[in-house]
Every structure is written in structure tokens, then in C-alpha cells.
Amino acid sequence: MGHVFVSVRFRGRDEFTMEKVPVDTSASFTVMPLELAREHFVETPFEAEVRLGDGRVVRAKVFIAEAEIEGRRGPVRILAFSGAIPVIGVDTLETLGLRVDPVTGKIEKTEYYMLFV
């Protein structure tokens, strides 16, 4: 499928846009460098342990912000640690009702689903 990149606008402590941010469908959460997160996003008191693709486990601070991709906006969790490479994870895609089409490698809008029993 190749690499998928998106333009994403964040609104937190301020508003800014990042161009060509990679989307990783094997990443649970959106990840950003700690320094960038502290400057632009809203910090929470929470932390999480995250296993990276190379097997390392790091402790990440949890931030929140509004993200906008392909015209869809919503609140997202962002995990941040020193030296992190920016990546958009599945949690953000699902929150915004987006997915990666495995045939075209493009982001597409999906329906929101809810199960009521």
C-alpha cells in the first residue's frame, strides 16, 4: 500500500497545522514529541506506557487537543515523549470517522457506528 500522509490542524493551547504527517494503522494512538505537545496541546495528569515498533517501552505523557483531518474534527488523545516522531494513530482516525483504504492508500470518510442492545 505504501505510505499514507495527512495534513492535520490541531487546536489546543493554540492552533497550528502540520503537513505530511504519517498515518500508522498499527499505532493505537497519535504520538508527538514532548516539547511540541507541551507548547501546543492541553496536558492531562495521565501517563501511559507505550511499546514502540522496535520493542522499546517508553513512558508517555497524555495530552488532548482537537484534530481536524479531511474536514472532520474532534477531540483526540495525544501521547508524547522526548524524541518521538509525529504519527497519526488509529484512535484519532476512528474518533474522526476516517480510515485508510487499503487499495488506494488514501484516507476516506466512514460512517459512525453505535451498537445499542
Side-chain angles (χ1 to χ4, degrees):
M1 172 171 62
H3 299 287
V4 177
F5 298 91
V6 295
S7 172
V8 56
R9 177 178 301 262
F10 288 107
R11 293 172 189 91
R13 296 169 56 89
D14 60 7
E15 182 175 320
F16 74 104
T17 301
M18 296 178 73
E19 302 293 336
K20 292 192 75 172
V21 180
V23 174
D24 185 349
T25 57
S26 65
S28 300
F29 296 101
T30 291
V31 172
M32 293 287 159
L34 185 58
E35 301 74 24
L36 182 139
R38 283 190 169 137
E39 181 179 349
H40 297 290
F41 307 136
V42 178
E43 190 168 351
T44 75
F46 304 106
E47 293 186 351
E49 281 192 355
V50 181
R51 181 172 302 279
L52 305 180
D54 64 6
R56 288 181 296 144
V57 175
V58 298
R59 194 122 187 103
K61 303 258 327 142
V62 179
F63 292 79
I64 57 170
E66 178 186 74
E68 181 177 349
I69 301 172
E70 297 288 325
R72 295 263 177 106
R73 328 180 346 186
V76 297
R77 290 174 285 191
I78 301 159
L79 275 55
F81 56 93
S82 293
I85 296 171
V87 66
I88 302 298
V90 173
D91 182 62
T92 295
L93 292 179
E94 289 180 352
T95 296
L96 302 180
L98 300 170
R99 72 180 188 107
V100 175
D101 182 323
V103 176
T104 65
K106 305 269 189 219
I107 295 290
E108 62 182 27
K109 295 176 181 175
T110 64
E111 295 181 61
Y112 290 107
Y113 294 98
M114 187 164 255
L115 177 62
F116 180 78
V117 181

